[in-house]
Amino acid sequence: KEEAISLVTRVKYGAVSATVPQTSLHRSCRWYSVSHLSVKERIDQKRQAALQGGGQQRIEAQHKRGKLTARERVQLLLDPESFVETDMFVEHRCADFGMEQDRNKDFTVFGGSLSGAHAQKICKIMDQAMTVGAPVIGLNDSGGARIQEGVESLAGYADIFLRNVMASGVIPQISLIMGPCAGGAVPEIFPNWHSVTNEDVTQEELGGAKTHTTVSGVAHRAFENDIEALLNLREFFNFLPLSNQDPAPIRESHDSSDRLVPSLDNIVPLESTKAYDMLDIIHAIVDERDFFEIMPNYAKNIVVGFARMNGRTVGIVGNQPKVASGCLDINSSVKGARFVRFCDAFNIPIITFVDVPGFLPGTAQEYGGIIRHGAKLLFAFAEATVPKITIITRKAYGGAYDVMSSKHLRGDVNYAWPTAEVAVMGAKGAVQIIFRGKENQAEAEAEYVEKFANPFPAAVRGFVDDIIEPATTRKKICQDLEVLASKKQVNPWKKHANIPL
């Protein structure tokens, strides 16, 4: 009894358990050491442990791979001392497979794999971002779901996916893949990939940066290292509004809005089959030649990206005559449609440069569903209510003319250059159909060119608002954007549209 009283007294006053004599009572009870640290000291200790991530050894290993830690990436991305961390003290709740030994997160801890607590933190910050109207940026470097937690980790992913869907079109969501993520971890899950799929493929070929920026179109840009990626992300972020409640950003411009561009007067070749670079036109027209291209290595027959006109952010879409003569195909239609819908969601005006001979023919396109996918681009332009300005630089043939932000799809201002041709198809093909079996084909072709291979048929019908000198294009666009800044257009009420997915 006296021993028991002594033990209770020592615990009450914080005595270290090691000083307690080994008695039968000591052996039969579960003992807890009583911390001699104050609450403030414990807070500081926890905070310091969180800042250390997986420890110095793992941080050094991350650096040897040429990669920064999660905290180093955040510091480089954001303005100095602007990052306010929340939920630093949250820890995972799994005690299986030795997990109780380490309760931090980022790639230096468990390969950055997602736990239930990790997902909870992400969902919490995404909910707050939706509430205040702030963009969400994800710096991803993760081995995927934390298999030690089983279904709880999968539930965490589903919770995040729900937030992604709810936030879509409300706030910008930007992901930077800075290491293995989901599909990239598949070869690690299946080391003998050939035995599973009967394919010989490397991890890079299956899910590397080149694959996803040139073949699949899953990623929009690729960079050499962490620093280049983060600096480009800062540049990209400056083009975007904070949410769909804010207008397109405007900043001071030192490039005159009425600047003429004489080089454009001779940029389109006289020979209609000769290629030129649409990027030359875009760079010449936008503020300070600053154009941030999106998906530059995927579906190169269409160009999309962000620029500024008189300081105002604009989205730019343009056919690229250098690649497949600028024809629309499945990939370019999907690429253009997604970009147009992004701009429309976040109040960014769209400028479209048209030089399109039609949709790419062939069995591969037909079997792949070019009609369905081409309709996505038409749908996106027709649905958009932001200011839409279109310039036809040369060819605007067939259904592709309709699709590329034509007047018929509620284009606000539609211009044609003197080199523009708005027609059902090219002169040679049209003559072969109209005058089949007749003599004097060359004469008939010249007659067709005289009638249709110019901008007048569209202009006299009001399908283009004006035929302008190329050198004045920048000046015209800046003036129109000023007028259209107060544009208000609302689509008919619906639960949601049924875009041809």
Side-chain angles (χ1 to χ4, degrees):
K1 182 177 179 181
E2 290 176 356
E3 286 178 347
I5 293 172
S6 175
L7 290 171
V8 170
T9 303
R10 288 175 182 177
V11 169
K12 178 179 178 182
Y13 289 102
V16 179
S17 59
T19 64
V20 179
Q22 297 292 315
T23 66
S24 59
L25 178 62
H26 180 267
R27 287 190 298 271
S28 62
C29 296
R30 175 178 287 182
W31 286 86
Y32 298 90
S33 63
V34 180
S35 174
H36 63 281
L37 299 175
S38 68
V39 172
K40 184 180 185 306
E41 289 172 325
R42 290 170 64 190
I43 291 172
D44 291 341
Q45 190 179 70
K46 284 276 191 182
R47 203 180 292 277
Q48 189 59 38
L51 292 172
Q52 280 297 309
Q56 190 60 37
Q57 186 175 353
R58 290 181 182 175
I59 291 174
E60 289 174 1
Q62 181 84 336
H63 289 166
K64 285 179 181 177
R65 298 188 192 101
K67 296 162 66 176
L68 303 175
T69 66
R71 294 184 184 280
E72 289 168 342
R73 289 165 173 167
V74 169
Q75 290 172 2
L76 182 60
L77 173 65
L78 304 180
D79 294 344
E81 300 182 6
S82 66
F83 180 60
V84 179
E85 185 170 357
T86 62
D87 285 338
M88 178 182 276
F89 299 110
V90 171
E91 298 176 341
H92 72 72
R93 298 175 285 273
C94 180
D96 298 325
F97 310 108
M99 293 285 288
E100 71 280 359
Q101 301 299 320
D102 207 335
R103 297 184 178 275
N104 213 311
K105 59 273 164 194
D106 82 32
F107 196 79
T108 64
V109 183
F110 298 123
S113 56
L114 187 97
S115 68
H118 191 169
Q120 174 188 322
K121 291 179 62 172
I122 294 172
C123 291
K124 181 176 178 181
I125 206 69
M126 290 185 74
D127 289 339
Q128 291 176 337
M130 287 272 286
T131 300
V132 302
V136 170
I137 299 174
L139 307 181
N140 300 293
D141 193 351
S142 167
R146 188 168 296 176
I147 58 177
Q148 295 93 331
E149 295 200 10
V151 72
E152 184 176 1
S153 180
L154 298 179
Y157 270 121
D159 291 338
I160 294 170
F161 295 156
L162 175 63
R163 268 73 177 184
N164 288 142
V165 174
M166 293 297 102
S168 178
V170 179
I171 53 175
Q173 300 178 80
I174 307 167
S175 291
L176 200 55
I177 309 301
M178 309 190 77
C181 286
V186 170
E188 298 170 16
I189 299 171
F190 299 113
N192 188 358
W193 185 255
H194 186 275
S195 67
V196 178
T197 67
N198 202 33
E199 292 179 297
D200 288 309
V201 63
T202 66
Q203 181 171 336
E204 173 62 29
E205 290 171 338
L206 180 69
K210 185 176 181 180
T211 295
H212 287 314
T213 54
T214 64
V215 181
S216 71
V218 168
H220 294 77
R221 292 280 292 262
F223 306 100
E224 289 296 324
N225 52 56
D226 285 11
I227 295 174
E228 183 187 359
L230 292 165
L231 293 178
N232 271 272
L233 178 51
R234 280 184 64 91
E235 180 184 354
F236 169 64
F237 185 83
N238 288 331
F239 287 102
L240 306 181
L242 297 180
S243 75
N244 63 0
Q245 299 298 307
D246 298 314
I250 302 176
R251 73 178 193 184
E252 184 180 1
S253 174
H254 301 288
D255 194 347
S256 175
S257 62
D258 59 0
R259 169 172 60 86
L260 298 180
V261 191
S263 62
L264 297 182
D265 287 334
N266 302 308
I267 200 166
V268 177
L270 293 176
E271 189 178 345
S272 64
T273 57
K274 191 173 181 181
Y276 62 96
D277 194 344
M278 186 61 78
L279 286 170
D280 290 340
I281 293 177
I282 294 170
H283 284 131
I285 288 175
V286 301
D287 287 1
E288 298 161 4
R289 300 182 62 84
D290 182 18
F291 177 58
F292 193 95
E293 188 173 357
I294 303 295
M295 304 180 84
N297 298 313
Y298 178 78
K300 294 182 179 181
N301 43 333
I302 197 167
V303 175
V304 300
F306 296 98
R308 295 181 181 88
M309 296 294 289
N310 198 24
R312 187 190 308 271
T313 293
V314 295
I316 292 181
V317 181
N319 307 112
Q320 177 55 285
K322 282 184 65 177
V323 181
S325 299
C327 278
L328 290 174
D329 61 3
I330 291 171
N331 291 343
S332 63
S333 296
V334 174
K335 171 182 171 179
R338 179 168 171 77
F339 180 77
V340 169
R341 299 191 90 209
F342 181 91
C343 291
D344 187 46
F346 295 108
N347 310 311
I348 298 173
I350 302 167
I351 301 171
T352 307
F353 294 95
V354 181
D355 187 348
V356 61
F359 283 92
L360 188 66
T363 56
Q365 292 295 308
E366 292 298 334
Y367 296 167
I370 181 61
I371 295 173
R372 173 166 51 91
H373 294 294
K376 293 175 183 176
L377 184 55
L378 183 149
F379 196 106
F381 272 124
E383 184 185 45
T385 58
V386 294
K388 293 181 288 189
I389 301 172
T390 304
I391 300 95
I392 302 173
T393 61
R394 190 166 62 180
K395 298 174 185 174
Y397 290 169
Y401 153 70
D402 290 330
V403 168
M404 292 298 295
S405 194
S406 64
K407 180 63 72 176
H408 322 287
L409 301 186
R410 303 193 298 183
D412 294 298
V413 182
N414 294 69
Y415 292 125
W417 284 3
T419 48
E421 305 173 18
V422 183
V424 175
M425 61 194 306
K428 190 169 184 178
V431 167
Q432 288 175 351
I433 294 173
I434 298 172
F435 300 99
R436 183 181 301 166
K438 296 183 180 180
E439 298 179 356
N440 300 324
Q441 292 275 320
E443 185 179 330
E445 185 175 338
E447 181 185 355
Y448 186 90
V449 168
E450 179 67 24
K451 282 190 174 183
F452 297 109
N454 58 74
F456 292 114
V460 298
R461 291 167 175 81
F463 298 159
V464 296
D465 298 301
D466 197 3
I467 303 171
I468 64 172
E469 291 299 322
T472 65
T473 304
R474 171 179 167 81
K475 178 180 178 181
K476 292 279 190 181
I477 291 174
C478 289
Q479 291 173 344
D480 293 332
L481 287 172
E482 194 67 33
V483 172
L484 291 168
S486 59
K487 176 186 176 181
K488 290 181 174 61
Q489 189 173 45
V490 180
N491 291 328
W493 185 91
K494 61 190 81 172
K495 184 175 181 181
H496 61 75
N498 191 17
I499 186 170
L501 295 174

